[in-house]
Amino acid sequence: MTSNENAQRDSRPTEIFNRFRSATRGINTVVFPTILCVILLSLFSDKFFTVENQLNIVRSASVAMIVGVGQVFVISARQIDLSVGSVLGLTACLTGFLVFDGVPIILCFFFALAVGFVLGLINGLIVGYLKVPALLGTLGMLVLVRGTVQELMYGTYHVRFPAEFVVLGQGDTLGVPNLVWVAACVVIVGHFVLTRLEYGRFILAIGGNAEAARIAGIKVRKYIIISFIVQAVLVALAAFLLMGRMNSAHPTLGQGLELHIIAGVILGGTSLFGGVGKVWGMAIAMYLIAVLENGLLLAGAGFFWQQILLGFLLITSVAIQIYRSKSGKIDM
């Protein structure tokens, strides 16, 4: 064996380690707290680490993971979408009318995606063409769309959907909830798109330096609009599944979801300053948030403690990123 072959063989473990480190860079800050919380809660309650409870946790986190993938793309492009909760509520309520009218489930599904597409396109045009800052533009959409939902429903609810629809959100396949299967597929595809496809590379380039990306020939406006469309379509998918899980749709569905999603995305390692996106980190962070919420329930704490926790996580994750940005430790 030649010296070159020996050198190549010796370098393989190092190359594998470097690839693993690159793939996990930026999510270590959420991996270890998640492991610690799981261990502590397992010691605190014998009900926590049961199969049934763990399935409940990942089922609860699945909707947030689906929506979170879209938010990773948006924030990686140095934008933000505050309208996700309202978009989810409007999609669910509009789709509920079709479900009760006896429209085939598959057509209801595509209708929901179409609603998401239109709302995402509106968001994208507001930010991309009207040049309204994403924070203000999507905040306006949050209020506008929520008001539309309230006016359409006028205090009424959709409840008791057909069984063939409910099974999408409440059923399971091979012992694993359908919601979890869908969320896993969305996360895997989202990671692949962000890290392997041209679209993902362009989004990260735009978030890193939009002007440099424009000079390099990237159609910045086009890809920003696409990111908002992807976000809203994934919200529509989540709405469709959540309707089945809850067996209902009401005007306040999704209210406050935007803070939950943004907290999980930032906590998972996606840079609030753009240019860095971590889909796997987001998924782990959503699981961590679900674990902590579940632990509070087991401890007998109420809903407001969950809100306090969520606010604390959001402030902490942003503060950490600001510190790392100032010290030059943001992973690119």
Side-chain angles (χ1 to χ4, degrees):
M1 185 175 292
T2 65
S3 59
N4 287 337
E5 290 175 336
N6 285 327
Q8 290 177 357
R9 186 184 63 180
D10 293 339
S11 66
R12 284 173 186 169
T14 302
E15 182 181 354
I16 293 172
F17 173 75
N18 288 336
R19 288 182 178 180
F20 173 79
R21 185 176 63 178
S22 177
T24 57
R25 185 182 298 164
I27 67 173
N28 292 329
T29 53
V30 72
V31 170
F32 297 121
T34 301
I35 294 173
L36 180 61
C37 286
V38 169
I39 293 174
L40 292 177
L41 288 172
S42 298
L43 297 175
F44 172 78
S45 172
D46 56 0
K47 297 179 180 179
F48 174 78
F49 212 64
T50 61
V51 173
E52 180 181 2
N53 191 54
Q54 286 302 306
L55 287 177
N56 285 333
I57 291 174
V58 291
R59 184 187 286 112
S60 298
S62 293
V63 169
M65 289 181 187
I66 294 171
V67 179
V69 169
Q71 194 74 250
V72 167
F73 284 109
V74 172
I75 294 180
S76 295
R78 206 165 190 172
Q79 307 296 324
I80 197 166
D81 189 349
L82 298 178
S83 68
V84 292
S86 297
V87 170
L88 187 144
L90 180 60
T91 303
C93 290
L94 289 177
T95 306
F97 286 114
L98 297 187
V99 174
F100 276 116
D101 285 342
V103 176
I105 301 300
I106 187 66
L107 294 181
C108 293
F109 173 73
F110 284 115
F111 173 79
L113 297 187
V115 172
F117 180 92
V118 171
L119 294 174
L121 178 61
I122 293 172
N123 274 335
L125 293 175
I126 289 172
V127 175
Y129 276 88
L130 297 182
K131 302 297 183 181
V132 177
L135 180 67
L136 298 178
T138 59
L139 179 61
M141 282 292 288
L142 179 154
V143 178
L144 187 155
V145 175
R146 183 62 65 183
T148 303
V149 177
Q150 297 285 2
E151 180 63 28
L152 285 173
M153 300 300 292
Y154 214 73
T156 60
Y157 293 76
H158 296 311
V159 293
R160 297 179 183 176
F161 291 118
E164 62 270 20
F165 179 79
V166 174
V167 72
L168 296 172
Q170 296 185 0
D172 60 77
T173 302
L174 301 177
V176 178
N178 294 331
L179 267 172
V180 177
W181 285 115
V182 176
C185 290
V186 171
V187 168
I188 291 171
V189 172
H191 173 75
F192 178 79
V193 170
L194 188 66
T195 59
R196 301 296 181 185
L197 297 188
E198 182 181 80
Y199 168 73
R201 294 196 298 270
F202 284 176
I203 284 293
L204 295 176
I206 291 168
N209 190 323
E211 187 58 33
R214 186 178 291 106
I215 294 173
I218 298 174
K219 297 180 179 178
V220 174
R221 182 184 298 173
K222 169 186 171 182
Y223 285 98
I224 287 176
I225 292 173
I226 291 175
S227 70
F228 279 103
I229 292 174
V230 170
Q231 168 70 100
V233 168
L234 288 176
V235 171
L237 171 62
F240 192 80
L241 296 170
L242 186 60
M243 290 167 62
R245 183 191 172 200
M246 298 182 65
N247 197 13
S248 67
H250 51 82
T252 60
L253 190 65
Q255 196 164 311
L257 178 66
E258 53 281 341
L259 297 182
H260 189 129
I261 300 303
I262 292 170
V265 170
I266 302 303
L267 188 62
T270 296
S271 174
L272 188 62
F273 309 102
V276 179
K278 302 290 181 180
V279 174
W280 284 115
M282 176 278 301
I284 296 170
M286 294 304 183
Y287 173 73
L288 172 60
I289 292 173
V291 162
L292 293 172
E293 290 176 345
N294 182 264
L296 289 175
L297 288 175
L298 291 176
F303 170 76
F304 296 114
W305 278 106
Q306 295 181 22
Q307 297 297 100
I308 293 171
L309 170 67
L310 186 60
F312 174 78
L313 288 176
L314 182 57
I315 294 171
T316 302
S317 57
V318 171
I320 290 173
Q321 284 209 359
I322 291 174
Y323 168 77
R324 298 184 69 191
S325 176
K326 288 181 177 179
S327 60
K329 296 179 180 179
I330 287 290
D331 301 312
M332 301 301 292

